Amino acid sequence: MLVSDLIAISVSTLSPASVIGADLYCRVGSTEEAKLYRGANYPMKSQDLNRLKSRGVTKLFIEREGRSSYQEYLRDLAAGGGDESATNSQRSAALNEVVLDVLKCSFAGDNEDNTVSAASELGGLAAKLVSRDDFAASDLFRVLNHDYATFTHSANVALYAGMLADELGMNQREVELVVAGGLLHDLGKLEIPDQILTKPGRLDEDEFAIIKKHPGEGFRQLALRDDLTFGQLMMVYQHHERLDGGGYPVGSAGDDIHPWGRLCAVVDIYEAVTSQRPYRTPMPREDACNLIRRESGKALDPEMVECWISIIQSTTPK
């Protein structure tokens, strides 16, 4: 069997004493061959996970038929179920895997109803995790991917937004709605050609004009729905507005920008500059914090900036 015939899963999502309902395979050396590592009904043990970690193994594989069982396992783990000995780090990794997988499929399917439904479900999962007393932001930061795919950016922004909302004192239901709004905030980008989104150089004036249409396009797609709140719609429409009125799509300023739009703006900028882009390398965390602090009071809400920086600093090794 070849690894190309299988689905890669992250070892960081595997919890001791839990079973995922699918056979686990490992790569044979540096070849493309895979061999059976653990049967579906046999749980991993702590020593197994430690051994994999010591060998530098970060991925195992499952057959495609086992995908639904693995996704069910991940949802249960992220929501706080599964093995009681599961760590916050494992639950964070499970949440990230679920969010990326579901969002990638819903974005690719180009079905608005499915995307909104998926965002709502994932918002609930994320809110349960970030609202836990033992939640540590550092665990979630550690497992996030940082490529330039639209669905990856949206997933990260949503999880960041949930952490910031929780830190600002929002209740679990509000955190849930904020996460869902974050997942949808760049929906309008799905209408933009890939050659613009992934252009390796600086955008020209016409290309940037197309990019600037995405908040309005996303809002247009979602505005008539009765299953989204006004705050969520403003996350879609206003995440590129600035307090000083110099943003887009309409140049809203000050209190005309909804609080959830301001929140989304902070984490959207931070995620964008700290992730890989076709035209630049990721910015170090400290530089990113300095950047958003320089924009505090001009583009970004000062309280939210300081709250977000405090979260970042809590995740940075001393």
Side-chain angles (χ1 to χ4, degrees):
M1 186 173 293
L2 300 177
V3 295
S4 58
D5 297 324
L6 303 170
I7 298 174
I9 68 168
S10 174
V11 171
S12 63
T13 66
L14 300 178
S15 171
S18 292
V19 294
I20 68 171
D23 291 337
L24 291 171
Y25 294 83
C26 63
R27 187 187 295 270
V28 178
S30 58
T31 72
E32 289 301 302
E33 294 184 20
K35 65 178 181 180
L36 183 65
Y37 175 77
R38 184 61 50 89
N41 297 319
Y42 291 89
M44 297 289 286
K45 298 179 181 179
S46 295
Q47 53 265 41
D48 297 323
L49 297 173
N50 291 335
R51 192 176 298 114
L52 289 171
K53 183 178 180 180
S54 68
R55 290 165 47 199
V57 177
T58 60
K59 299 286 185 182
L60 292 176
F61 302 88
I62 61 174
E63 295 180 72
R64 298 186 185 281
E65 302 81 56
R67 179 180 176 275
S68 60
S69 295
Y70 178 59
Q71 286 294 311
E72 183 178 345
Y73 160 81
L74 291 176
R75 281 172 167 79
D76 188 40
L77 186 61
D83 177 21
E84 290 184 1
S85 68
T87 65
N88 180 71
S89 179
Q90 288 159 340
R91 296 189 191 282
S92 294
L95 174 67
N96 184 54
E97 291 290 318
V98 171
V99 169
L100 285 175
D101 185 78
V102 173
L103 205 62
K104 179 180 182 180
C105 291
S106 63
F107 274 21
D110 197 23
N111 183 305
E112 181 187 303
D113 288 336
N114 288 345
T115 301
V116 173
S117 176
S120 178
E121 177 202 358
L122 296 172
L125 281 178
K128 287 180 181 178
L129 180 65
V130 303
S131 299
R132 286 172 62 102
D133 291 338
D134 62 348
F135 174 74
S138 57
D139 289 324
L140 191 50
F141 271 80
R142 196 175 297 117
V143 298
L144 297 181
N145 295 339
H146 292 283
D147 58 48
Y148 51 84
T150 297
F151 73 87
T152 307
H153 170 71
S154 296
N156 291 350
V157 166
L159 296 173
Y160 288 169
M163 286 189 279
L164 180 52
D166 182 69
E167 190 68 18
L168 288 167
M170 295 187 192
N171 62 42
Q172 187 169 318
R173 175 56 178 163
E174 290 171 322
V175 173
E176 180 178 330
L177 293 171
V178 164
V179 173
L183 291 168
L184 299 170
H185 85 283
D186 263 351
L187 192 65
K189 278 190 177 177
L190 298 183
E191 304 301 318
I192 298 175
D194 282 344
Q195 59 265 33
I196 294 179
L197 291 176
T198 60
K199 183 178 178 179
R202 183 178 294 276
L203 298 176
D204 63 31
E205 188 174 328
D206 291 338
E207 291 167 333
F208 188 54
I210 293 173
I211 287 285
K212 289 170 70 174
K213 292 179 180 179
H214 79 268
E217 176 59 28
F219 179 76
R220 183 192 65 77
Q221 293 179 45
L222 300 172
L224 298 182
R225 300 187 66 94
D226 58 7
D227 53 357
L228 294 172
T229 68
F230 180 70
Q232 289 174 309
L233 292 174
M234 290 303 98
M235 292 178 74
V236 175
Y237 193 52
Q238 294 186 321
H239 66 275
H240 284 295
E241 298 288 9
R242 294 171 52 101
L243 292 181
D244 60 14
Y248 62 88
V250 297
S252 297
D255 291 340
D256 289 336
I257 305 174
H258 191 279
W260 291 11
R262 299 185 204 180
L263 183 156
C264 192
V266 172
V267 294
D268 180 68
I269 291 176
Y270 180 85
E271 203 289 326
V273 299
T274 55
S275 291
Q276 185 70 45
R277 289 293 183 270
Y279 47 87
R280 58 160 172 74
T281 57
M283 183 180 291
R285 288 185 183 183
E286 183 177 355
D287 293 346
C289 288
N290 290 335
L291 183 151
I292 62 173
R293 187 168 269 151
R294 287 195 298 272
E295 293 296 325
S296 178
K298 295 182 290 186
L300 304 174
D301 183 287
E303 178 188 358
M304 293 182 181
V305 166
E306 292 308 313
C307 189
W308 180 243
I309 289 176
S310 73
I311 293 173
I312 300 303
Q313 291 174 339
S314 76
T315 71
T316 304
K318 302 298 183 183

